[in-house]
């Protein structure tokens, strides 16, 4: 008998990130009342596109890469979500990330649906010209889906302002006119927004600050352990440090730094000089085993890397009393049960890391109006939106006697499903 080999992006058992999202929906279903009738809407992405991305390499060879763009739900507005370049990208992962964007946008009441994209590639193995050719071909392949009023990509893991500039230029060339609003996270010189680069990390800080107030814990002197020192992690580290917190551990691809007296993230960034592989050579902190990161003595743990990092295996070791999910999907449902039982408060990704998409919304609005705001305007508006969203979710959690993730899902899913019900079904 011949065994058929399924494509790498198929996950029929839903064992990956998409399965994790489905379990989160199952947990919120009993709290949705009559709207639960529509919950299957969120169990089925509206549209999944898998594309071949052929690229001519510098040596003349042609390599093929798998690309994805998923629009999970568009009931509340155009799709919104980042694009990641990573060798482990799968359709299951992109589906889950797009679904979390649906929940995230609704949780903070942005007029967007959820979408996400990715290319299965290790960008560190490509030259700059190869990376540009890959980005432009991927953009052209998904061009039938994206647009300023249809689906607006943004940076994510291993993508940045330059990638967004190439995407905007490619889309604009194909449209025959400059379309600045097709992506967010662009360079400021091309219509990007001030404050966008640090927005996700800043949003983590805002919701953590609000949670500490309700928990009666001080921010000044609070010990913080951060996993991931990319855009999100290093921005969060700098903002927490500047507010008086103490960064006691930082983990990244090269290893884990630890210093009970505190690590200055500004000094660490200067030392790294753009090369994260130098992390463990930093002379002002010690190096510990990666597994020991989870048992670091701290008040706040901030996972800002990839999904599925806090599991049933390491959750019992965590000593933090507040977890701030800077990454998407870092905590499995089983791990969260363990943390809940231990009295640890988890600020879910769909609230904690919503700063990035909130400032992306600001950028989209500024592009549409051709009127740009000051960085102070950006920070003030971001603070207000996230603080108000946190307050509403905190009160809902108390009223329903559920944790913050369930409360966030109740609020977000209710908004999405109400819109779906009111729009009705097209025959």
């Amino acid at each position: 008998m011949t065994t058929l080999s399924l494509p790498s992006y198929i996950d029929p058992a839903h064992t990956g990130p998409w399965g994790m999202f489905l379990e989160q929906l199952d947990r919120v279903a009993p709290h949705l009342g009559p709207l639960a009738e529509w919950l299957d809407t969120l169990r089925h992405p509206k549209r999944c596109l898998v594309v071949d991305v052929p690229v001519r390499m510098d040596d003349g060879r042609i390599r093929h890469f798998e690309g994805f763009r998923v629009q999970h739900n568009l009931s509340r507005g155009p799709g919104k979500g980042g694009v990641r370049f990573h060798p482990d990208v799968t359709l299951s992962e992109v589906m889950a990330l797009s679904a979390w964007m649906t929940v995230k946008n609704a949780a903070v009441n942005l007029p967007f649906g959820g979408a996400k994209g990715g290319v299965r590639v290790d960008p560190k193995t490509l030259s700059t010209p190869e990376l540009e050719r890959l980005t432009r071909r991927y953009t052209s392949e998904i061009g039938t889906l994206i647009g300023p009023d249809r689906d607006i990509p943004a940076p994510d893991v291993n993508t940045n302002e330059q990638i967004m500039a190439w995407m905007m230029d490619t889309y604009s060339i194909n449209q025959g006119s400059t379309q600045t609003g097709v992506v967010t996270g662009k360079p400021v010189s091309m219509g990007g927004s001030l404050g966008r680069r640090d927005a996700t990390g800043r949003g983590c800080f805002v919701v953590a600050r609000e949670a500490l107030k309700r928990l009666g814990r001080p921010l000044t002197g609070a010990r913080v352990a951060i996993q991931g020192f990319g855009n999100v992690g290093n921005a969060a580290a700098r903002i927490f440090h500047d507010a008086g917190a103490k960064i006691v551990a930082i983990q990244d691809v090269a290893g884990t730094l630890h210093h009970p007296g505190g690590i200055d993230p500004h000094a660490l960034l200067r030392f790294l000089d753009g090369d994260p592989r130098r992390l463990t050579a930093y002379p002002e902190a010690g190096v510990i085993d990666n597994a020991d990161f989870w048992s670091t003595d701290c008040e706040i743990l901030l996972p800002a890397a990839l999904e599925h990092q806090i599991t049933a295996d390491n959750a019992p070791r965590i000593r933090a009393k507040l977890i701030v999910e800077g990454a998407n999907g870092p905590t499995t449902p089983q791990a969260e049960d363990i943390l809940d039982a231990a009295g640890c408060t988890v600020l879910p990704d769909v609230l904690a890391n919503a700063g990035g998409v909130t400032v992306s919304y600001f950028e989209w609005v500024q592009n549409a109006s051709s009127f740009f705001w000051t960085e102070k305007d950006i920070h003030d508006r971001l603070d207000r939106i996230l603080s108000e969203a946190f307050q509403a979710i905190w009160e809902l959690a108390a009223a329903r006697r559920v944790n913050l993730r369930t409360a966030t899902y109740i609020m977000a899913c209710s908004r999405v499903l109400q819109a779906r019900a009111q729009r009705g079904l097209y025959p």
Side-chain angles (χ1 to χ4, degrees), residues 105-154:
N105 289 325
V108 295
N109 211 17
L110 301 181
F112 291 134
K116 206 77 174 187
V119 177
R120 186 196 302 277
V121 61
D122 182 355
K124 294 189 293 295
T125 65
L126 304 184
S127 68
T128 298
E130 289 170 339
L131 185 60
E132 179 177 356
R133 292 195 288 272
L134 176 127
T135 300
R136 290 184 180 277
R137 184 58 186 249
Y138 168 71
T139 304
S140 186
E141 293 292 344
I142 67 169
T144 54
L145 293 190
I146 63 175
D149 298 313
R150 303 177 67 189
D151 183 356
I152 307 107

Side-chain angles (χ1 to χ4, degrees), residues 42-369:
L42 302 181
R43 294 189 176 103
H44 296 84
K46 180 176 180 64
R47 191 173 289 118
C48 298
L49 179 65
V50 181
V51 297
D52 175 41
V53 185
V55 179
R56 187 173 296 279
M57 310 305 285
D58 292 341
D59 62 6
R61 293 178 303 135
I62 296 176
R63 288 183 60 190
H64 292 258
F65 301 89
E66 286 178 344
F68 310 95
R69 188 69 185 176
V70 175
Q71 294 173 343
H72 175 255
N73 188 277
L74 306 180
S75 294
R76 286 171 44 86
K80 188 78 189 79
V83 172
R84 63 175 51 182
F85 289 173
H86 195 277
D88 297 328
V89 166
T90 65
L91 181 59
S92 169
E93 178 185 46
V94 178
M95 286 166 57
L97 292 167
S98 70
W100 286 324
M101 287 303 303
T102 296
V103 176
K104 185 183 307 181
N105 289 325
V108 295
N109 211 17
L110 301 181
F112 291 134
K116 206 77 174 187
V119 177
R120 186 196 302 277
V121 61
D122 182 355
K124 294 189 293 295
T125 65
L126 304 184
S127 68
T128 298
E130 289 170 339
L131 185 60
E132 179 177 356
R133 292 195 288 272
L134 176 127
T135 300
R136 290 184 180 277
R137 184 58 186 249
Y138 168 71
T139 304
S140 186
E141 293 292 344
I142 67 169
T144 54
L145 293 190
I146 63 175
D149 298 313
R150 303 177 67 189
D151 183 356
I152 307 107
D156 197 74
V157 175
N158 292 330
T159 57
N160 54 25
E161 294 178 351
Q162 180 59 75
I163 301 293
M164 293 305 107
W166 289 329
M167 291 189 73
M168 190 207 85
D169 183 64
T170 303
Y171 180 84
S172 296
I173 289 171
N174 289 339
Q175 292 295 309
S177 62
T178 299
Q179 302 281 327
T180 58
V182 67
V183 297
T184 57
K186 303 179 295 295
V188 172
S189 62
M190 296 177 59
S193 177
L194 296 170
R196 174 61 184 87
R197 185 177 301 171
D198 287 354
T200 305
R202 182 172 295 278
C204 290
F205 169 79
V206 170
V207 294
R209 181 198 67 203
E210 295 302 305
L212 289 172
K213 288 179 185 176
R214 273 68 171 190
L215 295 170
R217 294 178 175 270
L219 174 60
T220 303
R223 296 168 299 175
V224 184
I226 298 178
Q227 185 197 41
F229 204 59
N231 280 349
V232 178
N234 87 61
R238 287 184 279 111
I239 296 167
F240 272 102
H241 171 82
D242 294 347
K246 187 185 299 183
I247 312 302
V248 296
I250 295 174
Q251 182 178 96
D252 207 0
V253 290
T256 305
L257 290 180
H258 179 257
H259 186 357
I263 300 167
D264 182 342
H266 300 283
L268 177 57
L269 280 170
R270 290 193 295 269
F271 173 81
L272 294 177
D273 193 26
D275 184 359
R277 294 170 298 180
R278 300 183 64 201
L279 184 80
T280 54
Y282 184 59
E284 303 300 323
V287 177
I288 61 174
D289 188 80
N290 282 343
D292 292 335
F293 170 82
W294 303 106
S295 55
T296 301
D297 265 327
C298 61
E299 283 71 48
I300 302 169
L301 178 65
L302 201 158
L306 295 172
E307 61 270 7
H308 209 268
Q309 296 299 300
I310 302 177
T311 67
D313 292 331
N314 60 22
R317 303 180 62 192
I318 291 174
R319 302 182 185 182
K321 292 303 179 184
L322 179 65
I323 293 178
V324 185
E325 294 187 335
N328 292 307
T331 309
T332 67
Q334 294 73 29
E336 188 157 15
D337 290 341
I338 294 170
L339 295 168
D340 283 345
C344 179
T345 300
V346 179
L347 295 177
D349 50 358
V350 287
L351 173 62
N353 68 30
V357 71
T358 302
V359 177
S360 279
Y361 166 59
F362 297 163
E363 181 176 333
W364 182 70
V365 169
Q366 291 170 87
N367 289 160
S369 64

